[in-house]
Amino acid sequence: YTETKLIKGSDSCSGRVELQFLNEWGTVCDACWDMRAASVLCRQLNCGIAVSVVGSDWFGEGSGEIWADVFDCDGNETKLSECSISSWSRAERSHRRDVGVICSDSSLALHDGLVRLSGERQCEGEVEVFIHQVWRRVLLDSWSLTESSVVCRQLGCGSVLNFYGSSSSSPEHSHECVTGFQCSGSEAHLGNCSSPQTLNCSSTQQLSITCL
């Protein structure tokens, strides 16, 4: 792949992923892509790191070729061409599955419903959601497997393995919590689920999640 770009976003650091191969531009299937590959792309475009991998409901469906190569990046590469590629995933190839990326330098980087996991590992940890311009911990009550599946999908981490309560280890978040997300399970990101309530964190268990 000789060229890369993000299109249809609010700026050059967010949008649908398009890659050029032999002078032909194409989109990338969401099953072939994760946060590590996204961060390498953001770095290559001088856009910081990836904050979200999103579906075609964000930046629209592309046209033309769909590249189904799976990018195996460790996340430290400076450009996608340094990542190893395992060819041709068996994922459904349709433009409904076109992947988009939001990089940290984009104006979209801080939007309500953004999710991050504060753990040592990429797809496991305490859940934090960006709501009303603040990162907030999520309380375990009223949370279910349905919401967990949306978070894992939003992070490009596959399906959900389990979720559980933990007492918060990060005191800087101890006064900012959120509860009451209601998802159907098909959403691409938490921002599409019903709005939660923000409240002071008590001793209530706070949410941790493990994705496959």
Side-chain angles (χ1 to χ4, degrees):
Y1 296 102
T2 50
E3 295 286 332
T4 62
K5 63 185 177 184
L6 295 173
I7 68 168
K8 302 291 185 190
S10 62
D11 46 47
S12 60
C13 292
S14 63
R16 185 172 65 244
V17 178
E18 304 234 328
L19 306 180
Q20 187 183 38
F21 177 72
L22 296 178
N23 293 324
E24 187 160 9
W25 286 93
T27 60
V28 181
C29 75
D30 56 7
C32 312
W33 201 257
D34 63 14
M35 284 290 278
R36 285 174 296 223
S39 277
V40 174
L41 175 63
C42 290
R43 197 173 297 124
Q44 180 174 345
L45 295 172
N46 294 316
C47 287
I49 59 168
V51 295
S52 199
V53 174
V54 298
S56 61
D57 55 334
W58 273 78
F59 304 117
E61 298 178 15
S63 57
E65 283 297 325
I66 301 171
W67 308 125
D69 287 332
V70 177
F71 286 84
D72 278 324
C73 306
D74 64 25
N76 299 320
E77 298 88 352
T78 55
K79 46 185 186 289
L80 278 177
S81 58
E82 296 170 7
C83 300
S84 62
I85 288 178
S86 45
S87 292
W88 305 111
S89 91
R90 289 190 292 275
E92 171 200 1
R93 292 182 68 195
S94 99
H95 283 294
R96 290 197 315 275
R97 304 290 301 272
D98 286 347
V99 77
V101 169
I102 298 170
C103 303
S104 56
D105 289 358
S106 168
S107 61
L108 287 178
L110 292 178
H111 59 268
D112 276 4
L114 206 64
V115 173
R116 68 184 183 191
L117 299 181
S118 59
E120 295 303 305
R121 299 170 59 185
Q122 182 197 352
C123 292
E124 177 180 8
E126 299 168 338
V127 180
E128 297 181 354
V129 184
F130 195 75
I131 298 281
H132 306 326
Q133 303 301 303
V134 179
W135 284 102
R136 301 172 191 266
R137 297 295 313 279
V138 180
L139 295 181
L140 185 62
D141 55 353
S142 84
W143 187 267
S144 74
L145 271 174
T146 310
E147 288 77 39
S148 301
S149 66
V150 174
V151 167
C152 290
R153 183 183 307 122
Q154 176 172 352
L155 291 169
C157 285
S159 52
V160 59
L161 192 59
N162 65 349
F163 66 93
Y164 47 95
S166 57
S167 50
S168 177
S169 56
S170 44
E172 70 271 18
H173 295 291
S174 58
H175 61 294
E176 304 275 4
C177 273
V178 65
T179 187
F181 282 103
Q182 295 284 307
C183 306
S184 71
S186 61
E187 295 89 354
H189 57 94
L190 271 184
N192 285 347
C193 302
S194 71
S195 297
Q197 306 94 43
T198 56
L199 70 173
N200 285 346
C201 305
S202 59
S203 58
T204 319
Q205 294 260 288
Q206 295 174 17
L207 172 70
S208 289
I209 201 167
T210 305
C211 307
L212 283 172

